[in-house]
Amino acid sequence: MQGISVGNRPLILAFVLLTVSGLSAPADEEACSGGELVSRTYHGRFQRVDFGCNELTHSDVRNPEGERERTVEYELVTRHKVPFIRLLDGSGEEWLALYGSRLLFLYDAQEKRRFLIGVNDGTGRSLEAIHFGPDFFSASSFLTEGDITYEAENLGTASLSKPWVEGVEGPGIGEEIRINQAFSRIWISTGYVSARRPELYTMNARPKTLLVVDVDTGEEVRVSLDDTPVIQALPVPGDRRGTRNLRLTIEEVYPGTRWEDTCVNFIIIF
């Protein structure tokens, strides 16, 4: 057997040190399964959800016998870019979770009903400032398929499988949404969002770039959106509080894998 030359010894020593260092890494340094939700607490009207690294605590104060809590392990997973909270208690229960730094909407993934709207503000007092209203919105077009209309009023419902969809040929470049309601902040959830068929999100187009214009002043800001249905803040041109006449124009989209129709899930007035 050929001997190892003296010149190779530093390399061997370095390899041994790296190997020992890797073996000595703490075994408890595991990635949190909650992703962006970790360390957030969302207060609803009668519920609260506290997200830890790998556990969440769901509190319900409607219980006549006092506040009811359950703490379970969970993980945040995505299917076709749609986020779900999977409870790891053997129940197979999942919640479709549309979240942002300030807001959380939870839906029962089987029944599709919304069961929590929460705010991450420390107290939950700003929950009453969230407004929904079909009359707040209008649009330059909408899609009709048989008896189903995907009209602008859908933007004010925050219901799953009920988006606004533009109704022109192609991906709707140049189509507009109008917001006619006083507000200080607005948030948007894009795409066609469905609990039972999350693939509809990527199969349809989603806005990528919006031109946001204050119709009264002419001030505008161009917004680049991430390709996700999670709740994203929309800047108000000039940061004018009380603005009540806003126009959102589609300038660019993320293309759908099957259809060109561009969808917006909902818009929140705050």
Side-chain angles (χ1 to χ4, degrees), residues 137-251:
F137 305 98
S138 59
S140 53
S141 68
F142 62 86
L143 178 67
T144 299
E145 291 183 328
D147 297 331
I148 303 175
T149 58
Y150 296 99
E151 54 197 345
E153 287 83 350
N154 290 356
L155 294 167
T157 66
S159 298
L160 295 182
S161 302
K162 197 176 180 181
W164 167 73
V165 185
E166 48 77 26
V168 300
E169 291 293 327
I173 303 300
E175 291 305 287
E176 300 174 352
I177 296 170
R178 287 284 189 100
I179 304 175
N180 304 292
Q181 174 66 26
F183 59 86
S184 58
R185 290 288 182 269
I186 54 177
W187 286 271
I188 189 170
S189 170
T190 64
Y192 193 120
V193 183
S194 169
R196 295 183 184 275
R197 296 192 61 192
E199 70 274 11
L200 291 175
Y201 179 82
T202 50
M203 293 173 77
N204 288 279
R206 296 82 63 193
K208 182 178 182 179
T209 306
L210 293 175
L211 180 64
V212 183
V213 179
D214 185 324
V215 177
D216 295 329
T217 67
E219 293 177 283
E220 62 183 43
V221 60
R222 187 166 280 103
V223 182
S224 296
L225 297 171
D226 294 331
D227 189 11
T228 172
V230 303
I231 298 170
Q232 302 181 65
L234 284 180
V236 179
D239 196 27
R240 292 179 67 240
R241 304 301 174 93
T243 297
R244 60 176 302 116
N245 195 357
L246 210 64
R247 182 175 69 236
L248 315 179
T249 303
I250 300 171
E251 291 195 331

Side-chain angles (χ1 to χ4, degrees), residues 49-188:
V49 183
D50 301 275
F51 290 98
C53 181
N54 298 300
E55 290 186 335
L56 66 82
T57 299
H58 180 211
S59 306
D60 190 338
V61 300
R62 292 173 298 183
N63 185 21
E65 298 178 0
E67 183 171 325
R68 179 176 58 191
E69 280 191 359
R70 64 166 171 164
T71 298
V72 296
E73 293 186 356
Y74 77 104
E75 60 182 352
L76 182 65
V77 298
T78 58
R79 294 197 292 275
H80 304 279
K81 299 182 182 289
V82 179
F84 291 84
I85 293 172
R86 179 182 296 156
L87 303 187
L88 304 178
D89 58 355
S91 66
E93 185 177 354
E94 286 189 341
W95 304 333
L96 192 152
L98 299 180
Y99 59 87
S101 60
R102 291 284 306 278
L103 299 169
L104 173 68
F105 284 59
L106 289 180
Y107 302 81
D108 185 300
Q110 297 301 317
E111 299 179 11
K112 300 190 297 183
R113 67 182 180 88
R114 185 179 67 238
F115 69 88
L116 183 140
I117 303 174
V119 292
N120 178 31
D121 68 351
T123 64
R125 293 175 183 172
S126 62
L127 188 66
E128 295 180 359
I130 298 175
H131 297 289
F132 300 98
D135 296 336
F136 299 168
F137 305 98
S138 59
S140 53
S141 68
F142 62 86
L143 178 67
T144 299
E145 291 183 328
D147 297 331
I148 303 175
T149 58
Y150 296 99
E151 54 197 345
E153 287 83 350
N154 290 356
L155 294 167
T157 66
S159 298
L160 295 182
S161 302
K162 197 176 180 181
W164 167 73
V165 185
E166 48 77 26
V168 300
E169 291 293 327
I173 303 300
E175 291 305 287
E176 300 174 352
I177 296 170
R178 287 284 189 100
I179 304 175
N180 304 292
Q181 174 66 26
F183 59 86
S184 58
R185 290 288 182 269
I186 54 177
W187 286 271
I188 189 170

